[in-house]
């Protein structure tokens, strides 16, 4: 059966129908999935439960996997599959089975504190709360293209530091100290505008707002410019909201999107397994 790609929103996203991600992917589907991912930036596959091995095999369709970054507890969550991350608020036998808890995760892209951040994220829902915990994606290509010309000029050639000390809920990762001067924020430096080597399209590349700094500017000037960029980039007109159902899998372009998550009731259980795909081009 041919794959069907059903648009999900004005800004981005398609649902993939006629496809079972637990099965090996043939060459035709492989190509179609890649093309749709590059074009639409988020692929949603509804209601197909995956084992960890199947999630890994499906994620590898998009490239070699990148191990998760350091979490707040200092050890991989899945001993058998350290290439997977667990996003969860659940505590079992006094131990957190995953990261990020139940709080809001602010707008961010994953692991951009590395020199070569992952190009794709893959998230699979195992258990969900009755409400809350929706995930949102914002299209940074559209955000860049719609910037006023003067703002485009002000960020041309500028580089920002992407904070590696905190996760997206603001928790300090193990081994890091609180940041008191954003000029000293630990993490990779990337151009504020990134050209996708596959498509030639330009995108705003912001990483995450707290503790970011635009190199070479006075701190106040950097803060003001970052606020202006973030206010623009996180408008709802660039965004897609995903309300999860158990066994949904999402694959997104980590380098052309930001994502965030709503908080949810910490008494409920939310368990997601996540893979990330290595970036294969330097960020320029
Ligand atoms: C993340 O921010 O990587 C996790 C998103 C989610 O929990 O929905």
């Amino acid at each position: 059966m041919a794959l069907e790609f059903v648009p999900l929103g004005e800004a981005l996203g398609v649902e993939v129908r006629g496809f079972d991600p637990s099965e090996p992917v043939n060459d035709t589907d492989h190509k179609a999935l890649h093309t749709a991912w590059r074009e639409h930036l988020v692929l949603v596959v509804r209601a197909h439960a995956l084992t960890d091995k199947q999630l890994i095999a499906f994620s590898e369709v998009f490239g070699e996997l990148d191990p998760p970054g350091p979490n707040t507890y200092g050890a991989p969550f899945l001993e058998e599959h350290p290439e997977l991350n667990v996003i969860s608020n659940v505590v079992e036998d006094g131990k957190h089975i995953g990261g990020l808890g139940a709080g809001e995760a602010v707008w961010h892209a994953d692991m951009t504190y590395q020199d070569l951040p992952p190009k794709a994220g893959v998230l699979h829902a195992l258990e969900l709360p009755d409400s809350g915990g929706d995930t949102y994606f914002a299209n940074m290509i559209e955000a860049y293209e719609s910037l006023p010309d003067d703002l485009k000029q002000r960020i041309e050639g500028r580089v920002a530091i992407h904070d590696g000390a905190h996760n997206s809920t603001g928790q300090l990762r193990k081994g890091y100290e609180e940041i008191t001067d954003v000029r000293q924020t630990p993490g990779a430096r990337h151009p504020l505008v990134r050209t996708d080597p596959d498509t030639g399209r330009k995108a705003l590349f912001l990483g995450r707002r707290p503790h970011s700094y635009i190199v070479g500017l006075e701190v106040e000037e950097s803060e003001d410019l970052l606020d202006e960029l973030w206010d623009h980039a996180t408008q709802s007109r660039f965004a897609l909201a995903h309300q999860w159902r158990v066994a949904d899998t999402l694959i997104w372009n980590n380098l052309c999107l930001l994502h965030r998550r709503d908080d949810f009731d910490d008494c409920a259980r939310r368990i997601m397994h996540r893979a990330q795909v290595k970036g294969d081009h330097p960020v320029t």
Side-chain angles (χ1 to χ4, degrees):
M1 192 161 81
L3 301 193
E4 195 187 349
F5 296 100
V6 181
L8 291 171
E10 299 258 315
L12 70 155
V14 284
E15 182 181 338
V16 188
R17 295 199 186 147
F19 174 69
D20 181 349
S22 69
E23 297 287 335
V25 176
N26 65 37
D27 286 351
T28 312
D29 289 355
H30 193 289
K31 209 168 156 203
L33 287 167
H34 266 266
T35 305
W37 171 77
R38 255 203 309 268
E39 223 167 272
H40 301 286
L41 308 177
V42 175
L43 306 184
V44 176
V45 185
R46 288 281 194 190
H48 281 282
L50 298 176
T51 64
D52 286 336
K53 279 194 174 156
Q54 289 166 339
L55 174 60
I56 289 168
F58 173 60
S59 303
E60 283 173 341
V61 166
F62 296 86
E64 189 187 343
L65 299 194
D66 213 1
N71 61 52
T72 48
Y73 309 107
F77 291 118
L78 294 174
E79 268 175 33
E80 274 184 46
H81 297 296
E83 64 273 62
L84 293 182
N85 199 355
V86 180
I87 309 295
S88 185
N89 63 319
V90 173
V91 179
E92 281 173 0
D93 299 327
K95 214 175 146 208
H96 291 265
I97 69 159
L100 297 189
E104 180 190 355
V106 296
W107 285 112
H108 66 286
D110 288 329
M111 294 163 65
T112 60
Y113 48 82
Q114 298 185 160
D115 288 334
L116 203 59
K119 66 178 179 184
V122 188
L123 199 56
H124 182 64
L126 281 82
E127 289 187 48
L128 293 170
D130 289 338
S131 63
D134 297 351
T135 307
Y136 302 77
F137 297 87
N139 185 335
M140 291 302 104
I141 298 171
E142 287 197 359
Y144 176 75
E145 286 171 355
S146 58
L147 274 180
D149 285 344
D150 70 308
L151 210 41
K152 278 189 181 154
Q153 274 161 21
R154 282 166 66 201
I155 61 174
E156 181 69 34
R158 289 276 174 201
V159 164
I161 305 181
H162 292 225
D163 175 24
H166 299 86
N167 70 19
S168 56
T169 58
Q171 295 168 308
L172 204 58
R173 297 181 205 273
K174 206 172 170 71
Y176 286 92
E177 286 175 13
E178 265 312 336
I179 294 160
T180 50
D181 178 351
V182 288
R183 290 168 298 189
Q184 308 300 328
T185 293
R189 295 169 178 223
H190 298 298
L192 278 168
V193 181
R194 179 181 181 276
T195 305
D196 189 302
D198 295 327
T199 61
R201 291 182 297 184
K202 286 185 173 184
L204 267 181
F205 195 62
L206 297 175
R208 63 196 62 194
R209 175 64 187 92
H211 314 293
S212 183
Y213 168 66
I214 302 176
V215 178
L217 297 187
E218 294 299 324
V219 171
E220 201 180 321
E221 201 185 344
S222 164
E223 292 289 313
D224 289 349
L225 182 48
L226 284 169
D227 282 346
E228 213 172 325
L229 291 171
W230 278 89
D231 282 352
H232 173 81
T234 55
Q235 294 175 74
S236 57
R237 66 181 162 130
F238 304 129
L240 171 79
H242 182 71
Q243 231 172 12
W244 291 91
R245 290 186 221 147
V246 170
D248 282 355
T249 306
L250 261 66
I251 310 100
W252 69 93
N253 185 321
N254 186 52
L255 302 178
C256 296
L257 298 175
L258 293 171
H259 62 280
R260 61 167 286 269
R261 178 193 80 189
D262 283 341
D263 61 355
F264 56 95
D265 179 359
D266 201 11
C267 297
R269 289 168 63 94
R270 186 178 190 269
I271 306 178
M272 323 287 278
H273 283 190
R274 192 178 83 190
Q276 42 284 313
V277 179
K278 274 193 178 148
D280 51 6
H281 299 282
V283 178
T284 55

